[in-house]
Each structure stands twice: as C-alpha cells, then as structure tokens.
Amino acid sequence: MFDTLLIANRGEIACRVIQSARRLGIRTVAVYSDADAQSRHVALADSAVHIGPSPAQASYLDIERLTDAIRRSGANAVHPGYGFLSENADFAEAVAAAGAVFVGPPPDAIRAMGSKSNAKTIMERAGVPLVPGYHGGNQDPAFLSETAVSIGFPVLIKASAGGGGRGMRRVDSADEFDKALEGAKRESKSAFGDDTMLIEKFVSRPRHIEMQVFADSHGNVVHLFERDCSIQRRHQKVIEEAPAPGINTSVRDAMGAAATAAAKAIGYEGAGTVEFIVEGARVDQPDGFYFMEMNTRLQVEHPVTEMITGVDLVEWQLQVAAGESLPLAQDEIVATGHAVEVRLYAENPARNFMPQTGTLNHLRFPADSAHVRIDTGVREGDAVSMYYDPMIAKVIAWDRDRNSALRRMRTSLAATEVVGLNTNLSFLAAAAAHPSFIAAELETSFIETHLADLVPEAQPASNETLALAALSELLKYEAKATRDSTMSNDPHSPWRFGDAWRAMGSGEIELRFLDDDREVVLRARPDSNGYSVDLAGETTSIRGTLDESGALLAEVNGVRIAATVVGDGAMVQIVAHGHNHRLTRIDPMEAAAAGQALGGKLTAPMPGRIVAVNVADGEKVKAGQSLIVLEAMKMEHIIAAPSDGIVSAVRFAAGDQVNEGDELLAMADS
Ligand code: ADP
Ligand code: ADP
Ligand code: MG
C-alpha cells in the first residue's frame, strides 16, 4: 500500500478520500487554491500544497502545478476525486511521469470512454444494448437531420465529449432540429473544445439506472449493484438511491452482465459506473435498458452503494491501484436494505435554482450514525464561493427498506440547518415527502412535473414562527437588561431585570417584524413565568430559554419546541422542524437612536441596491415604520423612521444602486 496520497481535488470528495486514507494509515496531502486556503479539506489533511489562484483553470485543472505538487510532497499515489481532472487521460499519464500511481483506470480506458461516440462503438461490439441512434463520423447537419427523422422524434442531440448534462438538446419535431443542433454544438465547443454530436432516440418516460463496477489488474471484474438517479434537474442528478425500485433479479443480472462486459471490453481497472437509460414502462424486462455512457471514476452518488453493501469504495480503489486483488468475489457482495442520497446545494429554487454564494453563518447536520451519513467539505463560518460547484453537502440515509430510508431522510433533513444563504433544503424535504416519490414513480421529468409542489410560493410566517420570533426577542431584551443592571452595579437601577419592562411603559411590549413586505406587530405582556402574546386574535403563552449559540427551548401554549434563532443585524432566522423563516426586526428604539445620531438624514449603512421604497415625498410616518429596504451582502436591511415625522425628500427609487453614506431620504418633524 502507498504511504503518501495526494488528493487532486477539493470539497466534500477530498474530505471523504482523506478519511478512508487516514483509516488505512496512509499520509494525505491536500492541494488548495487561494480561495480554499482555510477550507475543511486542507485542515483534515496531514499536509497541504498551494497550487495557485482561485479559478479552477489556474489551480485544480492545471496539470503542471499538480505534478509539481506531487513531486514536492513526495506523494506516491494520486486520487483525482470526481470532476476536475478525474477523467483526463493526459493527467493520468502526467501523474505516472511524476513517479506516482494514478488511483483510477489506465489512460487508454479513460480515452476509450471519454468520447460517447467511441464508447458506443466499443459497446456495440461487446454486445451491450445501445439506445437506437447515430454515433458515426458524418457530422453534416443535413445528414444528421435526416437521421433524426429516420430514428423518429423525440430525439436527443448529445455532445460526444459531453458531461454534466451540457451540450444536450431534446428535439420534438423536424423543424426544431437545425436550431437545436446549432445550440448544442456551440455549447459543446465552448465547454469541451469539441463539437462532435451524436443522436439518440429519446427514451420514453426515462429512468436513469447505473451499475457500479469494479475491476482489478488480475482480470477480476464485479458489479456492486445499481443506483437509480432518475430525480434530475437539467440532466443533473439531485436525488439518488440504491437499489433501484421495481428492478427484479433478472433485470439486475442482465444489467450487471452488460456492465461487467463493458468494463472487460476496455481493459478496465478500478471503480467505474456504467450508466443506462431505462424505458419506464419496461423497467421489469431484461431488454428495457440501454447503455448511455461510462464514467471512469468514483461517482458523486457512490455513498448509497457503500451504505447497502458495506464496502468502502475508496479503500477498494486504493487496493486495486496498489496492485492487490479485489477483496470480494461477485457472490460475496451482498446488498442489505435501502439507501438514499440528496445533494444539498447553495441555490435558490424560487429563482430558477440560481446558485448562491455567501457565508454559512450557521450550519447544523444530524449526527453521523449507522443510518445517516453526511459528506461535506464545509464547516460553519465557511464561504460558498463563486469559483466552484455550490454543493454544500450530501445527506445519505439508510434503513432496512425504502420507506424506512425515506423516513430517515426526512428526519435528517428536518435536523439540517443552514443560515446565511439560500439552499434547496426545503425543496429536497418536499421531494422526499412527495407522494409520487414515496410511490417510487421515478422518471427524469419528476422535478419538472411536480415543480409547483416542490417549490411552493413563499408562505407568510406561521403563528408558531411568530411566537418563536417574539420569544427570542423578549429573551434577548431580558438578557440585555440583566447585563445592563449588572454592569451598572446598582441594585436599584431602573434597568434591573424585571423592572426593565415596567420602564417601557404599561407592562406591554410592542414587537415589530417585517415578514417579506408585510409588517407584523405583536404585543406581549409579561406574566408569572413568561409572556402572553396576541397572535391572530388569540392569547398565546410563550416562555423558554435562549442560549448564546441560538438554541431556543420554547414552550408555546404548553408545547415544547426546540428551535434555533440566528440573527444578523436586523435579520432574524427562525429554524424549526427543518424549515427556515426569515424575518426582519424593526426596532423603534434602535431606529430612534440611530436617527438622532444622523440628525434627520437617513443614509445607506453599506453599499447595496434599493429593493423597495415604501413611502413618498410628503408622507407622514411613525417612528419605526419601514421606509426603505436595502439589499446588501445578500441580505435585506430595513431603513426605519427614527421618529414620527414627514418625509421631505426621497432620493432613490427601487432598483437603484447606492454607496455607503449616500443620503437615502430626508425627514422633517411633523
Ligand atoms: P456523477 O455522474 O458523478 O453523479 P454528475 O453527473 O451529477 O456527477 O455531475 C456532472 C459532473 O459535474 C461530474 O462528472 C463532476 O465532474 C461535476 N461535479 C458535480 N459536482 C461537483 C462538485 N461538488 N465538485 C466538482 N465537480 C462536480
Ligand atoms: P452526461 O455526460 O452529461 O452525464 P448522459 O449521456 O449521461 O450525459 O445523459 C445525462 C442525462 O440525460 C441522463 O441521466 C438522462 O436523464 C438524460 N438522457 C440521456 N440520454 C437519454 C435518452 N436517450 N433518452 C432520454 N433521456 C436521456
Ligand atoms: Mg451521465
């Protein structure tokens, strides 16, 4: 076995490889770009080498810098992870030239599968079933168009060099073909530097089912069952599971035989995945699946296979790369139970899944156990930058059957908390709870079909959320009052805890929040052991404790609720039952203090963009009323009236960009 392994990757997969290597007593070397200097994979490794600036082209994709890092660190093996250079045969050769072992297949096998057209030619010869289509050398657009007609619509145009769902277009009729071909070619040229296209029949009600294969250098080839990755968005996997629901033993055996034949046909070594597209209506028939492509690396979703087989696939990769034989024969590989994986992304489902960047101000995952596994490359406080994939973590759940595994997944997602940027967490939770998903109605169009259920309209804060928000504010005031009285060292201070509320008048405390653009006013009264607050016309009793980490143990009308409160400036996020709700606190006292210091002028506290102007020139406003909403650093900030008065000038409109210190609005006394 190797004594030093360099991991030519970052993020969760680098962390995951380091963990297996450490368990095997192998020293690990991380590589990192500028943006990753403080990242988790660097902290986990035994040593780390800086390989360049943040853009991947100049660091994680730079073969020369990586081989230099191999030489400098004395690594005798290199794990490429997935993505980046993991399927780059030149890199595999460069690693060997630098005197280390590439943990992956021989360069020729990578090359053979790198081109989808070439791969299909090889598979055809090996007797592996292909999707009807054309994957030859004639790239004349007129010829391709005629071919599409003879295959029959719908068809899929694919980039031969493609990956990650790019360079792909579905075409439903002959008149759309030319334009789609042009678009796919353009995308492929810019993403892969090649625009060779192939055409496939678009399989109806498609399911993506893939086989995990493994081969060693002694001629042994096995498979470790299948994964269903049909839940996709734009041809990219979002949820994966193993085994594939509805697959029977004869289909599994046929698929396993096709996948191992594919691996043998190219002299494969190491971990690989043979992807099949399956006709949804014929999932139980041994001739209902077709070869799509082979990925010559460890796959993102490999943990579901590990959960059902108990095999550490990275350990096997290292053993095979070190020349050892596969630890198990085919009949010794057994699958138990069911595993599901979801990909947690920094993205905003409500805005067409736009990737988000920002800081993970608060991050909690359920504890790892025999049932739950979290693979992540970030910690609380880390940033999701614009340079790399916005995946935050993979949440994997295992149990004895599919329904139990899905229940575990739902509980795990409910215990996951991310504050600081938008994520697809609620979307994933909605998918894991969707009746069609529970009924295993899996198809690659699932997300598109059920989008309205999975990305519901933003809901107003529930009464429970408002109760929790009110309670957390009240507890913060209490803590502050206690601190102030302790600091003043005066046992008779009017700010002494308990008296504080009376000082605010009539024992009633007004709390104001902005919920989206709706203002919510709550009145709370201290009572013997907590507060009463009026919510939707009903008196609700609230009490509890809040610690410094934001853990709120609340009792709402006698029911205990554990929640988390994360604040940042005026923003308060209430996290309970796996749902985040963001409110903005409007604090009349703070607003008044800030306003006085500014003397009637309201200025931008930081550079940003005006989202809303809620008042007009000459309008009478009350202290604490929200005047302007400013979006800065991916958060909304409320500019509130410092006192009662009249707006004498509004200087900006919604959509305007402002600099720090710009006067936003002037006010006169009424
Ligand atoms: P896989 O086939 O392994 O599940 P996908 O097809 O979902 O991967 O993703 C497409 C490609 O995007 C992968 O081949 C990988 O190269 C890249 N990719 C996905 N996620 C990441 C990530 N977190 N970091 C780097 N590359 C990634
Ligand atoms: P990539 O290299 O981008 O992963 P694939 O060939 O693996 O490209 O296809 C990606 C996804 O596109 C598949 O998982 C599947 O959802 C869809 N797809 C590919 N080929 C077909 C087909 N012939 N019919 C229907 N859907 C397909
Ligand atoms: Mg694929």
Side-chain angles (χ1 to χ4, degrees):
M1 189 46 79
F2 317 104
D3 46 62
T4 307
L5 176 72
L6 181 141
I7 299 99
N9 213 302
R10 62 177 303 283
E12 67 88 13
I13 193 59
C15 297
R16 187 256 166 276
V17 171
I18 289 168
Q19 276 159 358
S20 285
R22 165 135 330 131
R23 197 170 48 73
L24 298 170
I26 301 170
R27 235 172 54 80
T28 55
V29 182
V31 294
Y32 64 95
S33 68
D34 288 350
D36 279 339
Q38 307 299 328
S39 67
R40 181 166 187 260
H41 78 279
V42 173
L44 281 183
D46 295 308
S47 61
V49 183
H50 177 245
I51 49 163
S54 305
Q57 283 297 343
S59 46
Y60 298 105
L61 289 170
D62 188 325
I63 294 182
E64 234 166 80
R65 284 177 181 266
L66 283 161
T67 45
D68 183 49
I70 295 166
R71 291 198 185 90
R72 276 196 285 156
S73 63
N76 44 20
V78 174
H79 195 299
Y82 57 72
F84 295 133
L85 296 169
S86 61
E87 295 180 276
N88 185 309
D90 295 343
F91 179 58
E93 280 167 353
V95 168
V101 173
F102 180 75
V103 181
D108 286 346
I110 300 179
R111 283 204 181 92
M113 293 294 119
S115 146
K116 286 185 172 45
S117 308
N118 192 20
K120 291 180 83 165
T121 307
I122 297 170
M123 291 307 134
E124 202 164 26
R125 252 185 267 135
V128 177
L130 301 185
V131 192
Y134 177 76
H135 52 270
N138 190 342
Q139 293 290 306
D140 173 35
F143 170 78
L144 291 177
S145 175
E146 279 162 35
T147 307
V149 173
S150 63
I151 293 167
F153 293 98
V155 300
L156 203 59
I157 304 176
K158 272 189 196 178
S160 177
R166 282 182 300 171
M168 208 179 279
R169 293 281 189 288
R170 179 188 158 142
V171 187
D172 291 305
S173 64
D175 52 322
E176 296 168 17
F177 187 87
D178 292 352
K179 217 173 141 233
L181 179 68
E182 229 179 87
K185 272 182 170 297
R186 202 179 329 107
E187 195 171 303
S188 178
K189 187 88 197 170
S190 88
F192 314 107
D194 178 295
D195 62 0
T196 309
M197 292 291 147
L198 57 98
I199 301 176
E200 282 179 8
K201 171 104 190 131
F202 188 88
V203 169
S204 74
R205 301 188 42 212
R207 273 176 72 174
H208 173 121
I209 301 179
E210 58 186 32
M211 274 276 162
Q212 175 70 54
V213 295
F214 235 105
D216 63 21
S217 54
H218 309 284
N220 303 304
V221 184
V222 297
H223 71 80
L224 292 96
F225 310 110
E226 79 284 356
R227 294 180 286 254
D228 191 312
C229 313
S230 299
I231 309 298
Q232 306 184 340
R233 209 181 66 79
R234 297 205 186 155
H235 308 300
Q236 294 235 53
K237 302 156 188 164
V238 180
I239 304 182
E240 306 99 348
E241 58 185 296
I247 288 265
N248 56 43
T249 310
S250 67
V251 174
R252 177 170 295 124
D253 289 348
M255 217 181 243
T260 46
K264 282 183 185 143
I266 53 166
Y268 203 75
E269 281 172 37
T273 294
V274 182
E275 296 189 333
F276 297 100
I277 193 86
V278 179
E279 277 177 63
R282 302 206 307 130
V283 68
D284 55 352
Q285 290 166 40
D287 60 352
F289 64 86
Y290 310 96
F291 172 85
M292 255 191 320
E293 65 163 345
M294 180 168 184
N295 292 326
T296 55
R297 55 171 160 89
L298 192 66
Q299 202 94 330
V300 177
E301 59 275 17
H302 74 279
V304 292
T305 300
E306 297 187 324
M307 295 294 263
I308 61 162
T309 59
V311 169
D312 178 333
L313 294 176
V314 172
E315 178 178 353
W316 279 29
Q317 283 189 297
L318 293 166
Q319 286 169 335
V320 166
E324 297 172 24
S325 296
L326 286 175
L328 296 177
Q330 188 67 63
D331 58 7
E332 294 170 313
I333 303 170
V334 204
T336 314
H338 198 96
V340 196
E341 172 185 286
V342 301
R343 302 187 189 189
L344 178 63
Y345 281 106
E347 65 184 12
N348 187 353
R351 287 197 191 160
N352 199 22
F353 298 86
M354 190 160 56
Q356 306 284 299
T357 58
T359 303
L360 296 157
N361 293 324
H362 170 88
L363 185 65
R364 292 282 183 284
F365 291 113
D368 270 4
S369 69
H371 290 92
V372 179
R373 166 172 166 182
I374 308 294
D375 281 17
T376 184
V378 290
R379 302 150 298 192
E380 185 167 284
D382 285 349
V384 175
S385 79
M386 57 185 278
Y387 297 107
Y388 316 109
D389 187 278
M391 190 159 77
I392 297 170
K394 303 188 302 209
V395 178
I396 306 112
W398 176 91
D399 214 314
R400 61 175 189 275
D401 55 36
R402 186 170 189 267
N403 278 333
S404 311
L406 291 184
R407 268 197 298 276
R408 291 271 180 196
M409 176 57 77
R410 292 193 290 271
T411 320
S412 305
L413 293 175
T416 300
E417 303 176 351
V418 191
V419 176
L421 33 74
N422 282 308
T423 72
N424 64 344
L425 181 59
S426 319
F427 167 84
L428 295 171
H434 197 281
S436 286
F437 183 64
I438 292 173
E441 290 163 8
L442 305 175
E443 275 186 45
T444 58
S445 61
F446 176 88
I447 290 176
E448 217 180 299
T449 307
H450 300 291
L451 199 61
D453 298 338
L454 305 176
V455 188
E457 300 269 303
Q459 295 293 313
S462 66
N463 285 341
E464 180 183 292
T465 298
L466 291 174
L468 295 173
L471 179 64
S472 78
E473 288 308 301
L474 292 163
L475 295 171
K476 278 187 224 162
Y477 284 135
E478 271 184 21
K480 184 173 185 314
T482 311
R483 264 200 316 275
D484 289 351
S485 74
T486 320
M487 272 180 350
S488 79
N489 220 358
D490 171 5
H492 306 293
S493 160
W495 289 102
R496 245 183 89 74
F497 171 65
D499 294 337
W501 306 122
R502 245 135 287 164
M504 294 175 86
S506 75
E508 190 171 83
I509 305 139
E510 190 180 273
L511 297 160
R512 289 166 177 241
F513 296 97
L514 205 65
D515 180 19
D516 203 1
D517 50 9
R518 186 177 66 111
E519 192 176 329
V520 183
V521 182
L522 302 175
R523 284 176 226 290
R525 289 170 302 280
D527 57 26
S528 52
N529 45 20
Y531 300 88
S532 301
V533 57
D534 295 328
L535 275 171
E538 284 189 29
T539 303
T540 304
S541 84
I542 52 175
R543 51 187 284 196
T545 56
L546 176 67
D547 76 11
E548 302 209 324
S549 74
L552 177 67
L553 251 189
E555 221 178 276
V556 179
N557 282 339
V559 178
R560 277 250 182 131
I561 300 165
T564 306
V565 181
V566 189
D568 198 341
M571 185 202 71
V572 197
Q573 292 238 25
I574 306 293
V575 188
H577 316 300
H579 287 283
N580 289 15
H581 199 97
R582 188 165 74 167
L583 294 167
T584 307
R585 181 168 42 81
I586 307 173
D587 188 334
M589 305 246 292
E590 267 175 28
Q596 270 147 23
L598 292 167
K601 278 189 192 173
L602 288 168
T603 55
M606 59 188 87
R609 191 177 62 89
I610 305 288
V611 182
V613 176
N614 298 329
V615 289
D617 275 4
E619 190 170 326
K620 259 195 174 171
V621 295
K622 287 218 159 296
Q625 184 176 337
S626 151
L627 306 175
I628 283 181
V629 184
L630 176 72
E631 185 184 270
M633 323 278 303
K634 308 217 173 288
M635 274 183 4
E636 292 189 350
H637 305 266
I638 306 294
I639 312 294
S643 56
D644 291 358
I646 291 174
V647 176
S648 54
V650 178
R651 313 264 187 229
F652 291 95
D656 288 351
Q657 210 61 42
V658 296
N659 293 316
E660 185 177 340
D662 279 356
E663 184 185 344
L664 302 176
L665 183 142
M667 275 184 62
D669 288 344
S670 47

